[in-house]
Each structure stands twice: as C-alpha cells, then as structure tokens.
Amino acid sequence: MRDILSDLRARCADGVPFALATVVAVHGSAPRDPGAVMAVDAAGAVLGSVSGGCVESDLYEAAREVLAGAPPRVVAYGISDDEAFGAGLTCGGTIEVLVRAYATGAERDRLAALLELIAAGRPVAEATVLSGAAETGARMVVRPAGAGPTTGTLGSEGLDAAVTDDARGLLAQGRTGVQRYGASGQRRMQEVAVFVRTYAPPPRMLVFGAIDHAAATARIGAFLGYRVTVCDARPAFATRERFPTADEVVRAWPHTYLESTEVDARTAICVLTHDPRFDVPLLVAALRTPAAYIGVMGSRRTHHDRLARLRAAGVDEAGLTRLASPVGLDLGARTPEETAVSIAAEIVQHRWGGTGRPLGELTGAIHHPGGPAPPR
C-alpha cells in the first residue's frame, strides 16, 4: 500500500472511484507477499502490482467488474498454463487476491481516514472479511489500545471483539495474515476468514559516521523503505546538504544519541565511523538494544582490534556474535555505492534468512517461507 499511498490519497480527495486488488494469502513461491496492492481507477489507470505481471491483466478485468457493481470477491491464481495462455503464476506458487471497489463517497472517506493514519506513521491494522458466515469485504480499522477508536464492523459484536484483540497482537508483532473464527468470534473455528493487514511505522535505519559511504547507505536505506537517521558529532559533516535522502540528520555523540532514541527488533544499525573513540562506546550501547542488525565497517585488522576493545569494555562473546563485521556481503565492492549495496544485501539476507549465495548454484524455492530471522 505504501508504494501507491500518495496516488490513492489523491483519488480519495478528488472523488475518483477505484478498485483495490490485495494479495491476502500466499502458498509456496510467489513474487509478492500478503498486503501487496494493485489499484484500478474509473479511468482505467493502473497503480501498483501484485505479481510482477503474471496475473495483472486478469485482475484488471476483475477490478473493472467490481467497479461496475459486482460484489467483492477473492480470486486465486496458481501455476500458469502456457499452452492455454491462462492467467497464473510462473513461479509455481498460488496467491489469493481480494478485489473490492471504493466507488461511493462513504467508502472512499473511510479508506481515506486509514490512508491518513498510514501516511502519518501511526500504527494501524485493517481487518477484512474474505469468506464464510460474514459479508465478504466487510472491514474494520483497529488501532492500538488507547490510540484511537476502532471503526467499522465485520457484522457481529463478538467477531468484532475477537478480531480487534488479535489485530492488536499482530500489529505489535508487525505481522499480516489470515485469521479464522466462528460466526460470533469463537476461537479455533473456521466459519469466517478475516485478512488482517498491519501498518506499523517504517523500520528505522541508524547510520553513524557522516562519510561518503554513509550517504550511499542512507540512499539505499530509504529505497528499501527504512526511516533513515544519520548521526555524527562533527557539525561540519552532519549536514542536510550532505544527506538529502535521510529523514533526519543528527549532530551528537553517537553513543549518546543511541542511548536516547527508540530502537526495536526491526532496527538496522550501521556503524561506519571505524574510529575506536566513536565506535567502541557506540557498539556497547548498540548491543544493549534489540536491534535486528548491527553492521560495523572496518578492515579485518580493525575488526580484531575492535573485538579486543569491546571485550575489555565488558562485552561477552554472545554479544560479539551479533556484530556483522566487517560489514556487508562479499560482492567485491569498491565504491561507496557498491559498498552500500553490499550492506543492504546483508541486511536483506539476515532479515529473511537467505544464504547470500548465487541463486543459480541453489535448488529449491527462491522465496524463503516464514518471517525474519531472530535478531543478531
């Protein structure tokens, strides 16, 4: 949703009807995860993608049908039949896609309120009925307890209460998926399928050290969807002009800033200072956080010297194993931009549990199942 957020908000504001096709389930290998969205507006314009081109033409027709008044529905796509030119996936998996229209002013207004929360970085979840003993397409917007009211209904008080509770749990974990209930919200029953899409604020990338490599890393971090902060104690280097793609540039001692800012289990920390005056106290502070990734720049000699300094500072061996140092995957990188690609590749590898090896040398599924690896 985030990749077409501004376009959807503009259409809501202008009163333009449109349909959304949302991936709600993936089985086996598939190009996009649950939550991927394609929109088709009343003029026929297409925004976003759900499969990288495999099924978009067929979904375009389904979207036009719901815009013309057909009810919301879930369509499934499996392996394509090349001889019959049928719509399907070439990657061997199956996806299920919910197609529904936002054709009336009231429907667009309700969606616009959700889009405003997403744009403002507020944690929010949207629950939509897919099938069963409730109206397909019924939707409800859930916010964390105390953060605002739940709006909409799925059809019964019991179902609304159960889904609200579960949606808040999924939101806290940053997870999206299908939940199943009885018609009145009973647990461990299968009568109603509900897709819960969570919108947590973007994960953070904290880049320490205002050098050329940091500028390149900030650019690729923003491209990957991180909220990027660059921090350096030197006022002449930590400037907005040097880091135009960063969300914020902070002038402070790195460890002091890190100890005062929010870090969670999705945060990536990139330490590019390679100066023991900065990076030893910074890494001691970083290893106290639940950060998903802590990458540290430097040569192997610098790395071994750094390990000795960290041990002397009281860091245990378990803590030292969390460091990705020297930072990045072995791509043969030379320039700051190539090094940033190497760092980003290692972050993605760690997040999804990849091997870092060429896909041509491997067999089996290309897309790794399940969620991210445990924090390192």
Side-chain angles (χ1 to χ4, degrees):
M1 182 81 81
R2 294 185 193 277
D3 52 352
I4 59 172
L5 183 61
S6 61
D7 294 303
L8 293 181
R9 294 176 69 194
R11 281 160 174 76
C12 287
D14 294 341
V16 177
F18 57 87
L20 287 182
T22 305
V23 176
V24 296
V26 170
H27 310 282
S29 182
R32 303 291 302 275
D33 290 329
V37 169
M38 182 182 87
V40 179
D41 69 17
V46 178
L47 308 168
S49 170
V50 299
S51 76
C54 299
V55 303
E56 273 72 5
S57 294
D58 192 76
L59 277 175
Y60 178 85
E61 297 303 325
R64 299 287 286 176
E65 289 172 10
V66 298
L67 274 173
R73 67 180 187 270
V74 177
V75 293
Y77 298 97
I79 301 173
S80 63
D81 182 348
D82 292 335
E83 293 183 359
F85 298 99
L89 302 178
T90 59
C91 54
T94 300
I95 61 172
E96 297 176 33
V97 184
L98 171 67
V99 186
R100 64 161 298 158
Y102 294 86
T104 70
E107 290 170 333
R108 290 193 301 275
D109 287 347
R110 287 191 290 268
L111 180 62
L114 171 64
L115 299 178
E116 290 295 328
L117 292 172
I118 297 170
R122 308 293 187 189
V124 64
E126 180 186 32
T128 307
V129 173
L130 301 181
S131 62
E135 180 184 356
T136 299
R139 61 188 291 273
M140 184 169 66
V141 173
V142 180
R143 301 181 67 182
T150 294
T151 59
T153 179
L154 304 185
S156 77
E157 184 177 340
L159 182 58
D160 287 352
V163 172
T164 296
D165 187 49
D166 288 349
R168 285 173 173 161
L170 291 171
L171 184 57
Q173 301 171 45
R175 292 175 51 209
T176 285
V178 176
Q179 307 293 305
R180 299 184 184 276
Y181 306 89
S184 298
Q186 301 95 324
R187 309 290 181 174
R188 292 190 288 274
M189 297 186 71
Q190 304 288 313
E191 295 176 71
V192 182
V194 178
F195 176 62
V196 181
R197 173 68 167 105
T198 64
Y199 299 93
R204 300 190 70 190
M205 175 181 284
L206 307 179
V207 182
F208 294 97
I211 61 175
D212 288 347
H213 290 81
T217 301
R219 288 196 296 272
I220 202 165
F223 177 76
L224 291 176
Y226 284 90
R227 177 173 176 81
V228 179
T229 298
V230 176
C231 176
D232 195 294
R234 300 168 295 175
F237 292 88
T239 66
R240 170 57 62 186
E241 291 74 21
R242 286 171 54 81
F243 301 96
T245 61
D247 293 281
E248 57 182 349
V249 179
V250 175
R251 298 171 183 173
W253 281 89
H255 71 282
T256 302
Y257 173 72
L258 184 60
E259 291 170 343
S260 66
T261 195
E262 181 180 353
V263 175
D264 63 21
R266 301 183 302 152
T267 302
I269 297 175
C270 301
V271 178
L272 310 183
T273 51
H274 55 82
D275 182 331
R277 294 175 301 163
F278 295 101
D279 60 14
V280 170
L282 173 58
L283 290 172
V284 171
L287 290 170
R288 296 192 185 112
T289 74
Y293 174 88
I294 305 173
V296 195
M297 177 173 279
S299 66
R300 297 193 187 281
R301 179 177 178 179
T302 298
H303 170 65
H304 289 302
D305 176 71
R306 182 188 296 125
L307 291 180
R309 292 173 182 270
L310 289 170
R311 289 187 181 101
V315 176
D316 61 21
E317 296 304 313
L320 296 178
T321 62
R322 294 182 61 198
L323 301 179
S325 177
V327 69
L329 297 186
D330 178 18
L331 305 182
R334 292 292 185 273
T335 67
E337 290 74 19
E338 290 174 347
T339 301
V341 170
S342 168
I343 294 170
E346 186 173 50
I347 291 172
V348 172
Q349 177 212 13
H350 175 69
R351 180 179 182 185
W352 299 111
T355 66
R357 295 173 55 197
L359 288 171
E361 295 179 357
L362 304 175
T363 59
I366 292 176
H367 301 283
H368 286 248
R376 64 182 291 174

